[in-house]
Amino acid sequence: MELGIGIGWRPEIAAEVESLSGIDWVEAVAENLCADHLPDSLVRLRERGVTVVPHGVALGLGGADRPDPDRLAGLAARAELLGAPLVTEHIAFVRAGGPLTASPKLEAGHLLPVPRTWDALDVLCENVRIAQDSLPVPLALENIAALITWPGEELTEGQFLAELVERTGVRLLIDVANLHTNHVNLGQDPAKALDELPVEAIAYVHVAGGVEKNGVWHDTHAHPVSEPVLEVLAELRSRVDPPGVLLERDDAFPPGAELAGELDAIRATLRKAAPSADAGPDRTAPRKAAPTADPGPDRTAPRKAAPTADPGPDRTAPRKAAPTADPGPDRTAPRKAAPSADPGPVPAGTRDRTAVAQTALLSALVAGTPAPEGFDHRRLRVQSRALAAKRADVVAKVAPELPEILGDGYRAAFLAYAGSRPMSGGYRRDALDFAEHVLIAGGPADPVARRRLTYWWQDRSGARPPRRTTRLVRAARAVLVGK
């Protein structure tokens, strides 16, 4: 499956994306698309033969719970609507709590790393198989950027990804910006990770910008792609010719000419890093034809059997291509729980242990409970602030009236609210809860702003949207009080 050079489609830059030359494909955030119709811009791109890949952010396949059937159905519907050759998600957990821990459900609002342990791998693999059986096209999973690392990890990132691919057959979406982020923040060597992971399983590659603050790299997707990230891309290209490479930008969108310049830099990096003897297709040139009709393995048919009677390579023997000088965890020692010929369901105790660990961490990050043992407390504070800032930014996008009503006081008020109110639903629910919190606390001080916030909350907090007459009355009342 050849994709070529692409860019992340976002509504804010839809016109710019359509006007860019040499774009073979785009990626759209699945949760931002309706399941039954597409934005006009994506319709036009598809009519031109541009492939569109849905990129999910909310499944939480690394979480202790099994994937939510409704979320899987929504992702499947978007894949079919787009005629996509594959769908992608993340190796992360995004929520915790609930029945497994008999505690309130908590939402992170962002991607958090799973521990690289055999227990977490078992849970992830079963969740991936469930997702694969529910999706009409192949699934690829992305490595994420991290500010924190789990204590007691048993595998390196490359080893973890290799095991995941071997057990499930899932493909990989390798984000070279995230490899750079983990190099700066966690001291992990991108070259070693690339040496250890199965590069032949790569479906495509992400490239994105970030910024370093106080020795911590923040994967913002709001800054230009830096030279160190392009160097990691070159490392990857020296090992394999990826089927696709995509530029991500999620905020602080530049003019189209700057996006074109970043795409040119990506193309130039790929050309320079290509081994001289590599006679493969030139992926830096625009594709002459859209991807073929063959989408890869048919995920709509029942899976024949998850690993066959042949359990595959002997995991107790040294790997044929061993890691470099630092071998990481001892792979030659017998594993605590090697996968059987038919893995069957993950034992309840494994999911329970994963649930307790993830809930303790997320509670510390979003609810201020004590930090679990073994974590770097300073980094947990950095991660906690990053999650709260992310919440504030997303709520401002889904409910732009709130920063307009509250003015310069919006961000400080939201961060104060987020410090004591973990997110338990989606961002729209979070916006309503925040507005209610401000009103109960007697804010905002300006009476006109308070009336506007009150009407905004009333219009959206009922079980049903207000009828047209009610909306007209409230609009007229808002005009009378000076909006």
Side-chain angles (χ1 to χ4, degrees):
M1 179 181 59
E2 302 296 329
L3 289 171
I5 299 296
I7 188 169
W9 182 90
R10 304 293 184 266
E12 297 90 341
I13 53 171
E16 288 81 357
V17 169
E18 288 186 64
S19 66
L20 287 170
S21 62
I23 293 298
D24 302 312
W25 65 293
V26 299
E27 180 191 78
V29 176
E31 288 79 5
N32 292 346
L33 301 176
C34 295
D36 56 356
H37 70 277
L38 296 175
D40 292 342
S41 173
L42 287 181
V43 172
R44 289 191 293 269
L45 286 169
R46 291 192 67 225
E47 289 172 347
R48 284 165 39 189
V50 175
T51 300
V52 184
V53 173
H55 184 54
V57 297
L59 274 185
L61 292 175
D65 290 318
R66 290 177 175 82
D68 179 78
D70 290 338
R71 293 182 188 276
L72 283 173
L75 188 55
R78 287 158 179 81
E80 292 180 326
L81 181 66
L82 291 165
L86 80 165
V87 297
T88 58
E89 248 287 351
H90 298 83
I91 301 169
F93 80 99
V94 297
R95 60 188 63 86
L100 284 178
T101 55
S103 62
K105 197 80 171 177
L106 298 173
E107 292 279 344
H110 199 46
L111 306 166
L112 291 174
V114 300
R116 291 196 287 268
T117 62
W118 295 112
D119 270 3
L121 182 63
D122 288 342
V123 171
L124 173 63
C125 287
E126 182 175 82
N127 288 349
V128 168
R129 293 188 195 101
I130 293 170
Q132 288 172 320
D133 288 340
S134 302
L135 295 170
V137 293
L139 171 68
L141 294 181
E142 179 180 353
N143 59 305
I144 72 163
L147 292 171
I148 57 176
T149 186
W150 286 79
E153 292 194 323
E154 299 167 310
L155 299 161
T156 66
E157 181 164 31
Q159 292 167 346
F160 193 84
L161 294 177
E163 286 282 344
L164 173 65
V165 170
E166 188 171 339
R167 292 195 197 184
T168 66
V170 76
R171 303 196 69 188
L172 296 177
L173 192 182
I174 295 299
D175 190 315
V176 294
N178 292 348
L179 290 177
H180 172 68
T181 301
N182 295 345
H183 171 63
V184 175
N185 294 346
L186 309 177
Q188 297 173 359
D189 183 3
K192 179 182 176 184
L194 291 172
D195 285 339
E196 293 177 335
L197 64 84
V199 294
E200 68 279 0
I202 293 176
Y204 63 88
V205 174
H206 272 173
V207 183
V211 64
E212 187 171 352
K213 294 181 181 178
N214 301 319
V216 176
W217 187 268
H218 296 269
D219 182 46
T220 63
H221 294 194
H223 294 80
V225 176
S226 65
E227 190 60 33
V229 171
L230 292 177
E231 290 172 2
V232 180
L233 177 63
E235 282 278 357
L236 183 147
R237 178 62 187 92
S238 70
R239 292 161 172 79
V240 69
D241 188 8
V245 179
L246 181 128
L247 172 66
E248 284 191 296
R249 189 73 179 232
D250 292 325
D251 210 345
F253 298 103
E258 289 186 29
L259 294 173
E262 291 199 81
L263 288 165
D264 286 342
I266 289 171
R267 293 186 182 99
T269 298
L270 293 171
R271 282 194 300 268
K272 291 177 184 176
S276 57
D278 184 356
D282 181 7
R283 306 204 199 279
T284 64
R287 288 186 297 111
K288 293 182 180 179
T292 64
D294 176 16
D298 180 9
R299 302 285 185 197
T300 62
R303 293 172 66 89
K304 293 181 180 178
T308 62
D310 176 10
D314 178 6
R315 303 195 206 286
T316 65
R319 297 174 63 93
K320 291 181 180 178
T324 55
D326 177 7
D330 181 8
R331 303 297 301 280
T332 63
R335 289 187 42 203
K336 295 177 181 176
S340 60
D342 179 3
V346 172
T350 302
R351 284 195 181 272
D352 290 345
R353 287 191 298 273
T354 303
V356 168
Q358 291 180 347
T359 302
L361 173 60
L362 186 52
S363 181
L365 292 173
V366 302
T369 56
E373 185 177 352
F375 282 93
D376 182 326
H377 288 212
R378 184 181 71 85
R379 281 299 176 87
L380 287 182
R381 289 193 293 272
V382 173
Q383 180 71 83
S384 179
R385 290 194 296 268
L387 290 177
K390 175 77 172 179
R391 279 176 70 184
D393 291 342
V394 177
V395 165
K397 286 184 177 182
V398 302
E401 302 87 353
L402 294 179
E404 178 191 344
I405 293 170
L406 298 176
D408 293 340
Y410 163 75
R411 194 167 187 84
F414 189 91
L415 294 178
Y417 152 83
S420 60
R421 293 286 296 271
M423 187 165 65
S424 57
Y427 282 110
R428 285 179 172 78
R429 179 73 258 169
D430 206 22
L432 285 170
D433 290 345
F434 166 61
E436 182 180 44
H437 172 82
V438 171
L439 292 169
I440 290 174
D446 177 63
V448 174
R450 181 171 175 80
R451 281 193 290 271
R452 288 188 65 194
L453 186 62
T454 300
Y455 299 151
W456 181 90
W457 180 82
Q458 288 175 340
D459 279 346
R460 293 159 178 81
S461 62
R464 297 180 180 176
R467 294 177 181 270
R468 184 171 182 273
T469 302
T470 303
R471 293 199 305 271
L472 289 173
V473 169
R474 289 179 179 173
R477 184 171 55 186
V479 170
L480 291 175
V481 300
K483 295 187 179 181

